[in-house]
mmCIF file of all heavy atoms in Angstrom:
data_model
loop_
_atom_site.group_PDB
_atom_site.id
_atom_site.type_symbol
_atom_site.label_atom_id
_atom_site.label_comp_id
_atom_site.label_asym_id
_atom_site.label_seq_id
_atom_site.Cartn_x
_atom_site.Cartn_y
_atom_site.Cartn_z
ATOM 1 N N TYR A 91 128.240 96.764 110.120
ATOM 2 C CA TYR A 91 127.893 96.206 108.872
ATOM 3 C C TYR A 91 128.929 96.467 107.859
ATOM 4 O O TYR A 91 129.254 95.574 107.039
ATOM 5 C CB TYR A 91 126.426 96.798 108.540
ATOM 6 C CG TYR A 91 126.066 96.399 107.040
ATOM 7 C CD1 TYR A 91 125.947 95.089 106.720
ATOM 8 C CD2 TYR A 91 125.823 97.313 106.076
ATOM 9 C CE1 TYR A 91 125.538 94.620 105.429
ATOM 10 C CE2 TYR A 91 125.438 96.994 104.772
ATOM 11 C CZ TYR A 91 125.271 95.670 104.501
ATOM 12 O OH TYR A 91 124.936 95.272 103.237
ATOM 13 N N GLY A 92 129.507 97.694 107.821
ATOM 14 C CA GLY A 92 130.677 97.962 106.893
ATOM 15 C C GLY A 92 131.776 97.029 107.118
ATOM 16 O O GLY A 92 132.475 96.595 106.236
ATOM 17 N N GLY A 93 132.022 96.578 108.333
ATOM 18 C CA GLY A 93 133.079 95.661 108.651
ATOM 19 C C GLY A 93 132.760 94.256 108.160
ATOM 20 O O GLY A 93 133.543 93.559 107.636
ATOM 21 N N MET A 94 131.417 93.920 108.152
ATOM 22 C CA MET A 94 131.026 92.628 107.585
ATOM 23 C C MET A 94 131.251 92.595 106.141
ATOM 24 O O MET A 94 131.801 91.674 105.539
ATOM 25 C CB MET A 94 129.550 92.390 107.956
ATOM 26 C CG MET A 94 129.285 92.179 109.374
ATOM 27 S SD MET A 94 127.499 92.286 109.779
ATOM 28 C CE MET A 94 126.855 90.767 109.083
ATOM 29 N N LEU A 95 130.873 93.806 105.484
ATOM 30 C CA LEU A 95 131.161 93.885 104.050
ATOM 31 C C LEU A 95 132.663 93.725 103.746
ATOM 32 O O LEU A 95 133.053 93.146 102.728
ATOM 33 C CB LEU A 95 130.582 95.314 103.522
ATOM 34 C CG LEU A 95 129.059 95.325 103.479
ATOM 35 C CD1 LEU A 95 128.690 96.714 103.110
ATOM 36 C CD2 LEU A 95 128.425 94.292 102.661
ATOM 37 N N ALA A 96 133.536 94.429 104.584
ATOM 38 C CA ALA A 96 134.985 94.334 104.374
ATOM 39 C C ALA A 96 135.508 92.866 104.406
ATOM 40 O O ALA A 96 136.194 92.497 103.477
ATOM 41 C CB ALA A 96 135.699 95.271 105.359
ATOM 42 N N ALA A 97 135.060 92.227 105.399
ATOM 43 C CA ALA A 97 135.489 90.749 105.598
ATOM 44 C C ALA A 97 134.911 89.986 104.458
ATOM 45 O O ALA A 97 135.765 89.154 103.832
ATOM 46 C CB ALA A 97 135.001 90.293 106.890
ATOM 47 N N TRP A 98 133.701 90.104 104.164
ATOM 48 C CA TRP A 98 133.111 89.295 103.032
ATOM 49 C C TRP A 98 133.713 89.659 101.677
ATOM 50 O O TRP A 98 133.937 88.887 100.875
ATOM 51 C CB TRP A 98 131.595 89.526 102.877
ATOM 52 C CG TRP A 98 130.844 88.921 104.180
ATOM 53 C CD1 TRP A 98 131.222 87.948 104.950
ATOM 54 C CD2 TRP A 98 129.599 89.369 104.646
ATOM 55 N NE1 TRP A 98 130.326 87.652 105.956
ATOM 56 C CE2 TRP A 98 129.268 88.530 105.701
ATOM 57 C CE3 TRP A 98 128.673 90.377 104.286
ATOM 58 C CZ2 TRP A 98 128.052 88.661 106.455
ATOM 59 C CZ3 TRP A 98 127.550 90.502 104.972
ATOM 60 C CH2 TRP A 98 127.237 89.758 106.048
ATOM 61 N N PHE A 99 134.062 90.995 101.508
ATOM 62 C CA PHE A 99 134.749 91.376 100.257
ATOM 63 C C PHE A 99 136.045 90.624 100.074
ATOM 64 O O PHE A 99 136.406 90.104 99.065
ATOM 65 C CB PHE A 99 135.045 92.786 100.191
ATOM 66 C CG PHE A 99 135.332 93.350 98.823
ATOM 67 C CD1 PHE A 99 134.333 93.673 97.961
ATOM 68 C CD2 PHE A 99 136.623 93.484 98.454
ATOM 69 C CE1 PHE A 99 134.677 94.154 96.682
ATOM 70 C CE2 PHE A 99 137.017 93.911 97.215
ATOM 71 C CZ PHE A 99 135.950 94.249 96.288
ATOM 72 N N ARG A 100 136.826 90.552 101.133
ATOM 73 C CA ARG A 100 138.104 89.896 101.184
ATOM 74 C C ARG A 100 137.860 88.434 100.849
ATOM 75 O O ARG A 100 138.780 87.792 100.135
ATOM 76 C CB ARG A 100 138.865 90.017 102.509
ATOM 77 C CG ARG A 100 140.160 89.215 102.623
ATOM 78 C CD ARG A 100 141.291 89.736 101.712
ATOM 79 N NE ARG A 100 142.479 88.953 102.015
ATOM 80 C CZ ARG A 100 143.269 88.544 101.116
ATOM 81 N NH1 ARG A 100 143.059 88.795 99.866
ATOM 82 N NH2 ARG A 100 144.367 87.836 101.423
ATOM 83 N N MET A 101 136.876 87.847 101.322
ATOM 84 C CA MET A 101 136.602 86.385 101.080
ATOM 85 C C MET A 101 136.135 86.139 99.676
ATOM 86 O O MET A 101 136.549 85.304 99.058
ATOM 87 C CB MET A 101 135.575 85.840 102.016
ATOM 88 C CG MET A 101 135.955 85.919 103.498
ATOM 89 S SD MET A 101 134.650 85.696 104.802
ATOM 90 C CE MET A 101 134.150 83.998 104.492
#
Side-chain angles (χ1 to χ4, degrees):
Y91 173 58
M94 294 168 72
L95 292 173
W98 292 336
F99 193 86
R100 173 69 174 136
M101 294 164 70

